[in-house]
Amino acid sequence: MQEDDSRLEKKKMGLTTQIFIGLIGGLILGVVLNLWIPHSYIRDDIVVDGIFYVIGNGFIRLMKMLVVPLVFCSLVCGSSAIGDTKSLGKVGGKTIMFYLMTTALAVTVAITVATIIRPGVGLDMSSIETGETAVAEKVTVTDTILNIIPENPVGALADGTMLQIILFALLIGVLLAKMGERAELIANIFNQCNELMMEMTNMVMNLAPIGVFCMIAKTFANLGFDAFVPLLKYMGSVLLGLLLQCLGVYMILLIIFTRLNPVKFIRKFFPVMAFAFSTSTSNATIPMNIDTLEEKIGVSRKISSFTIPLGATINMDGTSIMQGVAVVFAAQAYGMQLGPTGYLTVIATATLASIGTAGIPSVGLVTLSMVFTAVGIPVEAIMLIMGVDRILDMVRTAVNITGDAVCTTIVAHQNGDLDRNVFNRMEESNG
């Protein structure tokens, strides 16, 4: 049994290494294509927008294919495993409060950093690369709450409406726990479906190195580095805000609530962050996140299978940081003064906008239109930052899933479901 476990660990570490190789290899090839290979039909249409696009987006589609059934089955099993409604409400309440608190802190950090660096001051508007962007409709708080309740659960599953799926799954899980032996057959079916989805996820994950290689290569082949020049201060502000949130706010909270070593935590969790960086989708990291928390951090799966899918839906701290900096950047570029009321509006709107945001690439640009509208900034200002958003999207996704993991670890500790022996033993065995 121990030999099987050691082989499994080697296999997982081998896959992680392959993903890193794919990421670095794709980056190098993308830069080479961008800087030294002239534009041609073979380079652009066949290689970059043909082979790389099909394989990279094919991998993302496979991961998205898993999201709804994986989240649904995982939440049903997780909520039923927690047991009674009181315990579930306690865990859920702590998780949601923590997510909202860290999101509000993230926006505050972003606005503070952007106000100090002032990225939009002196911007040459004519040098900005522009493009089209989608516009999100402004949704009131009452509509946001009502939209959580599905009128048709099957329709919610078909459309991938995550908040409605989460509520429906939680209700099923709670009732399965309450009914006990009377619903044992259904509970077993959900457990087997959950295991099936985990196996399917492992199968798809074996393709991750190839998918990551193609996505990164395409990104850097198409992203002209000239676009960075007028937006370096904006990028620096976002990256600094993300760094402060990830290595500052999260690690301080981890120390305060769990007393775990933050350096060890980051070292163990870094492969998940790298995978999130390469795919730019929080949803794709759900299975890897849950596995890493259980096997390296010591978090019980009954907690993580509830909090991680929930966090991938409502906890978008990295996206909120981008939105906070983008608002200040655009306001300065247009010569607008937001004032204290405007900043408070940004904090509140960005926090609410993160709830129910799909964990897929570049969705933050769509919800950003809602934040811009709330403070009177022209929605067209989003076009100012589209040229570099792909790179920032990769980094903020890594921050998003790190926030989910830190929250899960804290909640597990407070619930008595954190095994410190696993955390320490794994560290020793990894050297």
Side-chain angles (χ1 to χ4, degrees):
M1 187 68 180
Q2 290 180 347
E3 291 180 2
D4 291 339
D5 290 340
S6 64
R7 288 175 185 172
L8 184 62
E9 180 63 25
K10 287 180 181 178
K11 182 179 179 182
K12 288 188 177 179
M13 291 303 292
L15 179 61
T16 301
T17 303
Q18 292 173 35
I19 292 173
F20 274 123
I21 293 173
L23 192 154
I24 299 300
L27 188 151
I28 293 173
L29 179 59
V31 170
V32 169
L33 288 171
N34 180 268
L35 297 180
W36 291 292
I37 306 298
H39 289 279
S40 65
Y41 174 76
I42 294 178
R43 173 201 181 277
D44 297 333
D45 295 340
I46 295 181
V47 178
V48 177
D49 294 325
I51 297 173
F52 290 166
Y53 177 82
V54 170
I55 297 177
N57 282 272
F59 174 69
I60 288 294
R61 279 175 174 263
L62 285 173
M63 294 303 298
K64 289 168 68 175
M65 173 188 74
L66 300 171
V67 168
V68 170
L70 178 66
V71 169
F72 182 68
C73 295
S74 179
L75 279 175
V76 169
C77 295
S79 54
S80 62
I82 290 176
D84 62 288
T85 309
K86 184 177 179 182
S87 297
L88 181 63
K90 186 177 179 181
V91 171
K94 286 182 180 179
T95 303
I96 292 172
M97 287 300 296
F98 186 94
Y99 284 156
L100 292 177
M101 179 187 71
T102 56
T103 301
L105 283 173
V107 184
T108 305
V109 167
I111 290 175
T112 302
V113 169
T115 302
I116 294 173
I117 296 180
R118 304 176 72 196
V121 174
L123 186 66
D124 181 6
M125 303 292 286
S126 63
S127 67
I128 303 299
E129 180 181 335
T130 62
E132 296 182 0
T133 185
V135 179
E137 295 181 6
K138 188 174 181 180
V139 182
T140 63
V141 176
T142 52
D143 287 338
T144 300
I145 295 173
L146 287 175
N147 287 338
I148 297 175
I149 305 172
E151 294 180 346
N152 180 359
V154 177
L157 289 166
D159 296 336
T161 311
M162 295 309 297
L163 280 180
Q164 296 182 3
I165 293 172
I166 287 172
L167 178 62
F168 187 56
L170 292 180
L171 290 175
I172 292 178
V174 170
L175 291 175
L176 285 176
K178 183 179 179 181
M179 293 175 69
E181 294 182 357
R182 288 184 296 156
E184 187 175 358
L185 177 61
I186 299 177
N188 288 335
I189 291 174
F190 272 110
N191 284 323
Q192 290 170 358
C193 287
N194 193 40
E195 291 179 10
L196 174 65
M197 293 313 303
M198 288 297 180
E199 285 296 323
M200 190 179 294
T201 300
N202 291 333
M203 182 183 71
V204 173
M205 282 296 294
N206 287 328
L207 303 174
I210 300 172
V212 166
F213 174 84
C214 292
M215 284 187 293
I216 296 295
K218 181 181 183 301
T219 296
F220 279 85
N222 285 335
L223 188 63
F225 283 88
D226 290 341
F228 284 2
V229 177
L231 300 173
L232 282 177
K233 288 174 70 176
Y234 165 75
M235 292 183 65
S237 300
V238 174
L239 292 174
L240 178 59
L242 293 171
L243 185 68
L244 290 174
Q245 182 75 6
C246 187
L247 302 183
V249 174
Y250 290 156
M251 296 305 107
I252 290 172
L253 291 173
L254 188 70
I255 293 172
I256 292 174
F257 288 103
T258 69
R259 303 296 179 186
L260 292 179
N261 187 322
V263 177
K264 290 182 180 179
F265 183 91
I266 289 293
R267 189 184 305 163
K268 292 169 180 289
F269 194 71
F270 188 74
V272 188
M273 298 171 68
F275 184 69
F277 174 86
S278 59
T279 60
S280 296
T281 162
S282 300
N283 286 337
T285 67
I286 289 174
M288 190 177 184
N289 204 338
I290 292 173
D291 285 343
T292 300
L293 286 172
E294 180 183 33
E295 297 171 10
K296 295 187 178 182
I297 308 298
V299 174
S300 171
R301 188 177 285 267
K302 76 176 184 179
I303 298 294
S304 60
S305 63
F306 168 71
T307 59
I308 293 301
L310 183 64
T313 304
I314 71 171
N315 189 42
M316 297 288 174
D317 294 351
T319 303
S320 298
I321 287 173
M322 178 276 290
Q323 292 175 346
V325 174
V327 167
V328 177
F329 171 76
Q332 291 172 348
Y334 280 97
M336 298 172 60
Q337 296 293 329
L338 291 179
T341 304
Y343 288 133
L344 289 175
T345 303
V346 171
I347 294 173
T349 309
T351 302
L352 291 174
S354 70
I355 299 175
T357 297
I360 57 178
S362 298
V363 73
L365 285 178
V366 179
T367 56
L368 179 59
S369 63
M370 189 189 306
V371 182
F372 275 10
T373 302
V375 291
I377 295 175
V379 175
E380 290 76 17
I382 296 175
M383 294 187 293
L384 300 177
I385 62 175
M386 288 190 70
V388 295
D389 185 71
R390 177 61 178 172
I391 295 296
L392 298 178
D393 190 27
M394 297 159 76
V395 181
R396 65 177 180 256
T397 302
V399 173
N400 286 341
I401 58 98
T402 304
D404 299 344
V406 170
C407 171
T408 297
T409 304
I410 291 173
V411 171
H413 168 71
Q414 294 182 338
N415 206 52
D417 290 305
L418 176 65
D419 189 346
R420 293 175 178 271
N421 291 329
V422 172
F423 185 84
N424 295 324
R425 183 177 68 245
M426 292 300 296
E427 178 65 24
E428 291 169 3
S429 63
N430 286 340

